[in-house]
């Protein structure tokens, strides 16, 4: 038996997926620039995309357990915090690229970071 996922958790998972997808799409934008900064940005974006995907996966697994242990829920919360930190760091780098597309990605990453930071044991457990 699986438990009900909270709305906040589902929204955070959806945002992590969107952020992952947009990072993957924007990789070509960075690689076209062919500068050292753009190549470094590409590596950071790959890491951010991976972190967002892993965070979403972990939240889905945690929500699918009928009785997720307190340790597992706490680990999920910590993963969300690390994802938020990665998104904020990547967003800051995106803004330095000074392009409209990268600014849009930075906005999405900041929104993802904000949602991830709202994940607490209470936000992950339905009533």
């Amino acid at each position: 038996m699986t438990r009900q996922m909270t709305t906040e958790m589902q929204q955070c998972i959806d945002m992590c997926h969107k952020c992952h997808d947009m990072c993957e799409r924007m990789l070509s934008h960075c690689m076209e620039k062919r500068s050292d900064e753009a190549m470094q940005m590409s590596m950071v974006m790959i890491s951010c995309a991976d972190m967002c995907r892993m965070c979403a996966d972990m939240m889905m697994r945690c929500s699918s357990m009928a009785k997720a242990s307190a340790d597992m829920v706490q680990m999920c919360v910590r993963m969300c915090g690390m994802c938020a930190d990665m998104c904020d760091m990547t967003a800051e780098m995106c803004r330095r690229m000074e392009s409209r597309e990268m600014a849009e990605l930075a906005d999405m990453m900041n929104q993802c970071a904000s949602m991830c930071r709202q994940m607490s044991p209470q936000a992950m457990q339905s009533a």
Side-chain angles (χ1 to χ4, degrees):
M1 180 174 153
T2 60
R3 63 188 183 135
Q4 183 78 22
M5 185 182 302
T6 65
T7 302
E8 295 84 1
M9 195 172 184
Q10 184 61 59
Q11 289 172 343
C12 189
I13 290 168
D14 292 345
M15 181 54 71
C16 284
H17 283 142
K18 287 179 189 176
C19 196
H20 169 269
D21 294 347
M22 194 165 182
C23 280
E24 291 288 338
R25 284 193 308 271
M26 290 304 293
L27 277 172
S28 61
H29 180 77
C30 284
M31 292 180 178
E32 288 171 2
K33 301 228 180 234
R34 298 189 185 265
S35 68
D36 287 341
E37 180 186 29
M39 292 312 287
Q40 181 182 7
M41 183 72 230
S42 296
M43 296 307 293
V44 170
M45 282 176 49
I46 290 168
S47 296
C48 189
D50 287 347
M51 180 72 79
C52 288
R53 183 183 37 81
M54 189 170 20
C55 186
D57 289 350
M58 194 166 182
M59 282 189 282
M60 287 187 294
R61 284 185 203 114
C62 190
S63 72
S64 69
M65 294 179 202
K67 295 219 184 246
S69 70
D71 289 342
M72 183 63 180
V73 171
Q74 200 57 248
M75 187 65 67
C76 207
V77 169
R78 287 177 34 207
M79 181 62 159
C80 287
M82 289 189 308
C83 184
D85 291 344
M86 185 74 194
C87 284
D88 281 341
M89 181 185 81
T90 308
E92 186 178 316
M93 290 179 76
C94 284
R95 291 195 196 289
R96 283 188 246 144
M97 299 288 288
E98 296 181 359
S99 80
R100 181 183 54 78
E101 295 89 356
M102 296 303 275
E104 289 173 9
L105 177 57
D107 290 344
M108 180 178 283
M109 287 178 178
N110 288 145
Q111 186 177 3
C112 186
S114 176
M115 292 179 97
C116 282
R117 282 200 176 84
Q118 293 176 18
M119 290 296 99
S120 64
Q122 297 77 23
M124 291 188 181
Q125 296 172 343
S126 60

